[in-house]
Amino acid sequence: KQEVTQIPAALSVPEGENLVLNCSFTDSAIYNLQWFRQDPGKGLTSLLLIQSSQREQTSGRLNASLDKSSGRSTLYIAASQPGDSATYLCAVRPGDTGNQFYFGTGTSLTVIP
Amino acid sequence: DTEVTQTPKHLVMGMTNKKSLKCEQHMGHRAMYWYKQKAKKPPELMFVYSYEKLSINESVPSRFSPECPNSSLLNLHLHALQPEDSALYLCASSHPYGAVGYTFGSGTRLTVV
């Protein structure tokens, strides 16, 4: 079974800092990997989706990379803002069944004004 | 339409009540999911429907009963719940296989009293 881990579990940074969130998975046979943002008590908002054949995806200040062979993905947030404060989750879609995503444990981010 | 709509947003029910959660999507996705999320934890998969057939049941107690009447609708029927079932219930949709990521609804906050 795929296991997905996110480090760190919590992160607090001053506004304007660039930061990196990490996601590790145990089985490299994946279809894709998706990064989500979740505000307290709300649903999950998709940020970026990286296919297994891609190395990175970018959206605005966000850049996600994927190194499938080493089982790692990173989410880079440039020039962080207080509005970026949320929990960030990665989810991996396996390549065998493809019908289920496995979630990471999440990183709770606080950006201090 | 690129949304997944969940109703109601909030629900308070007694342990002897029967209630239902509803999820609707019009993106043509043929896989729909129910997740349960407790505070500060990642979502836990409950059920997966693929082409309107139940394909995954993660050993969920029978007091939770899913239903997929058509390709756009997903219901979760609740009966005789326990206070520990209080959580955020999230619905998601995707394609059963391939390169499409998840789209999540905003969730139903359920409180069992």
Side-chain angles (χ1 to χ4, degrees), chain B residues 9-70:
Chain B
K9 293 194 182 305
H10 302 276
L11 179 62
V12 178
M13 61 184 290
M15 290 189 283
T16 58
N17 291 158
K18 286 185 181 181
K19 297 286 185 183
S20 297
L21 309 185
K22 181 179 174 181
C23 175
E24 190 168 7
Q25 58 92 10
H26 295 287
M27 293 178 287
H29 289 167
R30 299 303 297 274
M32 296 186 76
Y33 307 76
W34 280 116
Y35 278 87
K36 173 183 178 180
Q37 188 179 29
K38 298 285 246 181
K40 299 189 186 301
K41 298 289 187 183
E44 298 174 27
L45 183 65
M46 300 175 72
F47 304 103
V48 180
Y49 273 84
S50 178
Y51 297 101
E52 295 87 68
K53 293 190 186 324
L54 184 65
S55 62
I56 297 177
N57 176 345
E58 290 287 331
S59 302
V60 179
S62 59
R63 59 186 183 267
F64 295 91
S65 175
E67 178 195 22
C68 190
N70 59 55

Side-chain angles (χ1 to χ4, degrees), chain A residues 31-32 34 36 38 41-46 49 51 89 91 93 96-106, chain B residues 31 33 35 37 42-43 45 48 50 55-56 58 88 90 94-102 104-106 109:
Chain A
Y31 258 115
N32 52 47
Q34 196 167 1
F36 294 91
Q38 187 175 31
K42 305 294 185 183
L44 278 68
T45 300
S46 179
L49 173 66
Q51 303 302 333
L89 292 150
R93 186 168 205 174
D96 51 1
T97 62
N99 203 11
Q100 181 177 345
F101 290 74
Y102 291 90
F103 276 93
T105 45
Chain B
Y33 307 76
Y35 278 87
Q37 188 179 29
L45 183 65
V48 180
S50 178
S55 62
I56 297 177
E58 290 287 331
L88 181 67
L90 294 163
S94 180
H95 279 303
Y97 300 97
V100 177
Y102 270 149
F104 274 87
S106 57
R109 170 67 62 187

Side-chain angles (χ1 to χ4, degrees), chain A residues 31-101:
Chain A
Y31 258 115
N32 52 47
L33 184 147
Q34 196 167 1
W35 282 94
F36 294 91
R37 169 194 171 126
Q38 187 175 31
D39 294 297
K42 305 294 185 183
L44 278 68
T45 300
S46 179
L47 298 174
L48 290 163
L49 173 66
I50 311 179
Q51 303 302 333
S52 61
S53 58
Q54 297 176 322
R55 297 283 295 179
E56 65 178 60
Q57 281 284 342
T58 298
S59 176
R61 295 183 293 108
L62 305 179
N63 177 276
S65 67
L66 176 64
D67 184 345
K68 201 173 68 163
S69 61
S70 65
R72 293 180 190 172
S73 176
T74 60
L75 179 67
Y76 174 82
I77 302 177
S80 57
Q81 303 171 357
D84 295 330
S85 298
T87 296
Y88 290 80
L89 292 150
C90 66
V92 171
R93 186 168 205 174
D96 51 1
T97 62
N99 203 11
Q100 181 177 345
F101 290 74

Side-chain angles (χ1 to χ4, degrees), chain B residues 67-109:
Chain B
E67 178 195 22
C68 190
N70 59 55
S71 60
S72 301
L73 280 175
L74 184 67
N75 298 319
L76 186 63
H77 303 297
L78 314 171
H79 174 55
L81 294 192
Q82 303 297 310
E84 59 264 29
D85 296 321
S86 299
L88 181 67
Y89 287 83
L90 294 163
C91 173
S93 72
S94 180
H95 279 303
Y97 300 97
V100 177
Y102 270 149
T103 301
F104 274 87
S106 57
T108 294
R109 170 67 62 187

